[in-house]
């Protein structure tokens, strides 16, 4: 599976999207993961590639977009992707969407929709539904514990003068 971050010059959004789609076929056909691929582009060059590596790594967070974001941040030596575009073969799931917002790229272009993904049994609607529920009604039990102790770290962070904001 090719995931190198070697810079490569391509000239159009369509060509970049074709590379993300090509990666989705490659990972699926090799049985390494689901049919998802993503690339990160900066200044007209691919700086990172990602494929779904959930099965390969037993890591449920190893979606194509997250893998590509991690690689791009490592390449840029930065935790933000300012000036970058992410091309992904499918509309990002809730986890990937959150990761994208944290990474702050300029733009995301995608191929398939979340409905297309649901039609092949990659349905994330249950997550969207869970987010809207009060904590006590979610399928996975959640309860707050030791907030006063945990909050001390937040108080210290708020008052920290040498923090790096992100």
């Amino acid at each position: 599976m090719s995931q190198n971050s070697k810079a490569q010059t391509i000239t159009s959004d369509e060509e970049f999207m074709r590379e993300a789609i090509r990666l989705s076929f490659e990972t699926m056909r090799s049985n390494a993961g689901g049919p998802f691929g993503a690339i990160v582009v900066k200044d007209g060059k691919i700086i990172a590639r990602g494929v779904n590596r959930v099965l390969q790594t037993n890591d449920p967070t190893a979606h194509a977009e997250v893998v590509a974001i991690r690689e791009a941040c490592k390449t840029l030596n930065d935790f933000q992707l300012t000036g970058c575009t992410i091309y992904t073969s499918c509309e990002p799931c809730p986890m990937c969407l959150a990761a994208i917002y944290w990474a702050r790229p300029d733009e995301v272009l995608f191929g398939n929709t979340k409905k297309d993904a649901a039609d092949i049994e990659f349905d994330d609607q249950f997550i969207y539904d869970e987010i809207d529920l009060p904590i006590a009604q979610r399928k996975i039990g959640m309860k707050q514990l030791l907030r006063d102790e945990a909050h001390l770290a937040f108080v210290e962070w708020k008052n920290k003068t040498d923090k790096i904001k992100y």
Side-chain angles (χ1 to χ4, degrees), residues 58-74:
N58 291 319
D59 178 355
T61 69
H63 290 197
E65 296 92 336
V66 171
V67 171
I69 287 168
R70 289 173 180 161
E71 183 67 26
C73 289
K74 187 185 301 183

Side-chain angles (χ1 to χ4, degrees), residues 35-56:
F36 303 97
I39 62 170
V40 179
V41 173
K42 185 170 179 125
D43 299 327
K45 294 184 176 155
I46 297 173
I47 61 165
R49 290 175 169 80
V51 296
N52 182 287
R53 299 184 64 192
V54 171
L55 298 176
Q56 229 178 1

Side-chain angles (χ1 to χ4, degrees), residues 103-123:
R104 294 176 176 85
D106 292 357
E107 184 177 32
V108 175
L109 284 77
F110 61 90
N112 292 303
T113 66
K114 64 182 181 178
K115 182 186 179 322
D116 296 328
D119 289 345
I120 63 163
E121 300 181 5
F122 286 96
D123 190 354

Side-chain angles (χ1 to χ4, degrees), residues 66-110:
V66 171
V67 171
I69 287 168
R70 289 173 180 161
E71 183 67 26
C73 289
K74 187 185 301 183
T75 298
L76 295 174
N77 196 31
D78 198 342
F79 54 84
Q80 293 188 338
L81 298 179
T82 306
C84 295
T85 299
I86 296 175
Y87 296 80
T88 179
S89 63
C90 186
E91 184 176 359
C93 75
M95 177 186 66
C96 292
L97 187 60
I100 287 166
Y101 272 93
W102 280 114
R104 294 176 176 85
D106 292 357
E107 184 177 32
V108 175
L109 284 77
F110 61 90

